[in-house]
């Protein structure tokens, strides 16, 4: 694999104080496989390619919007009775505003809005929505903890997210006395041709996961054909926990759970010759 193939001194790290840009030059570009759904603009892909890394993109997830539940219109009419509306992905934001909510009802919400991270917050801003809470760590556990600290007992909370989302957020809020309504905006499925697309993993130096479901679909597609020396990068501890169920520890995990931080950690991993580059999550 990459570490054995690359002699010392092949990599040059160039830092500029203005943009903290990293440039890497060598005779064999490392190959990284991204498994998240394809996007028009991906900071992960852009930063890696600017650093000289060869990026392959094979989504292990297929996002499928769901039908509106029968009570949805009534829920929107009574939105002001909720204390919080919570979004946990930018996919959820886009599907909610483009397919669930009519254009004439896209005024700023009359309630507090929580977003799990900067990508979700940015997506909300594009629809004119102001985010009132974004957790210090971009995961469901920290989001729940910080909502609870603001006082959640007896308050109504609307969760807008994927059908396969972790139950942790909802369970923690319910335990603290919140009245939680959950609407599933989309489901996450495995692409039909995924096993065929993953045939040549031996040529990949690092596989990148940004969700637990991407991990599960990946290993389901591989079945018994898993490479013996699979090196993996994850966006955060929830994805890392999913990976451990398959007996693999991540080589890369950033201390900030964003695509930009993940990209820089991957670059750091290659610059250091494949050394472990995993931060420890904070305890909420």
């Amino acid at each position: 694999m990459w570490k054995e193939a690359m002699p010392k001194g092949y990599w040059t790290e160039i830092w500029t104080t203005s943009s903290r840009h990293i440039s890497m030059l060598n005779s064999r570009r490392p190959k990284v496989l991204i498994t998240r759904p394809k996007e028009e603009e991906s900071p992960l892909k852009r930063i890696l390619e600017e650093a000289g890394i060869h990026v392959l993109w094979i989504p292990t997830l297929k996002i499928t919007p769901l039908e509106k539940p029968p009570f949805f219109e009534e829920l929107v009419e009574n939105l002001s009775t909720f204390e919080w509306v919570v979004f946990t992905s930018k996919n959820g934001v886009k599907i909610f505003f483009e397919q669930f909510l009519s254009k004439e009802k896209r005024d700023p919400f009359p309630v507090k809005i929580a977003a799990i991270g900067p990508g979700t917050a940015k997506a909300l801003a594009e629809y004119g929505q102001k985010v009132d809470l974004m957790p210090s760590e971009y995961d469901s556990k920290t989001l729940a903890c910080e909502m609870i600290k603001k006082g959640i007992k007896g308050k109504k909370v609307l969760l807008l997210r994927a059908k396969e989302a972790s139950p942790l957020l909802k369970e923690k809020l319910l335990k603290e006395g919140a009245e939680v309504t959950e609407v599933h905006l989309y489901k996450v499925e495995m692409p039909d041709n995924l096993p065929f697309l993953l045939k040549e993993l031996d040529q990949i130096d690092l596989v990148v996961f940004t969700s637990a479901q991407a991990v599960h679909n990946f290993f389901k597609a591989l079945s018994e054909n898993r490479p013996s020396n699979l090196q993996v990068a994850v966006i955060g501890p929830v994805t890392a926990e999913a990976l451990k169920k398959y007996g693999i520890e991540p080589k890369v995990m950033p201390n900030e759970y964003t695509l930009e931080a993940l990209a820089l950690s991957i670059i750091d991993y290659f610059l250091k010759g494949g050394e472990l580059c995993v931060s420890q999550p904070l305890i909420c």
Side-chain angles (χ1 to χ4, degrees), residues 212-231:
Q213 192 61 45
V215 172
H216 297 316
N217 286 356
F218 178 86
F219 285 101
K220 183 178 179 181
L222 282 182
S223 187
E224 301 300 320
N225 301 317
R226 187 196 309 180
S228 58
N229 189 28
L230 192 65
Q231 307 301 315

Side-chain angles (χ1 to χ4, degrees), residues 219-276:
F219 285 101
K220 183 178 179 181
L222 282 182
S223 187
E224 301 300 320
N225 301 317
R226 187 196 309 180
S228 58
N229 189 28
L230 192 65
Q231 307 301 315
V232 177
V234 298
I235 197 168
V238 174
T239 310
E241 281 301 313
L243 187 66
K244 290 175 184 178
K245 293 179 181 178
Y246 301 93
I248 297 177
E249 294 283 343
K251 287 288 186 179
V252 179
M253 185 174 77
N255 56 14
E256 181 182 276
Y257 313 142
T258 65
L259 295 177
E260 292 84 353
L262 176 58
L264 292 177
S265 292
I266 290 170
I267 292 167
D268 196 39
Y269 166 80
F270 284 122
L271 285 172
K272 292 178 178 177
E275 290 182 11
L276 191 68

Side-chain angles (χ1 to χ4, degrees), residues 87-94 116 119-120 123 160-162 185-186:
F87 289 90
T88 60
S89 74
K90 62 181 181 181
N91 285 318
V93 172
K94 183 176 181 180
I116 200 164
T120 307
L160 300 170
R161 55 188 193 155
L185 302 173
Y186 61 95

Side-chain angles (χ1 to χ4, degrees), residues 2 24 53 55 66 135 157 164 217 241 256 266 274:
W2 178 86
M24 302 190 304
I53 293 171
V55 176
L66 296 172
V157 177
E164 296 79 10
N217 286 356
E241 281 301 313
E256 181 182 276
I266 290 170

Side-chain angles (χ1 to χ4, degrees), residues 4-19:
E4 290 74 21
M6 296 303 299
K8 257 189 170 181
Y10 261 56
W11 291 85
T12 303
E13 181 178 4
I14 301 172
W15 299 86
T16 62
T17 55
S18 59
S19 64

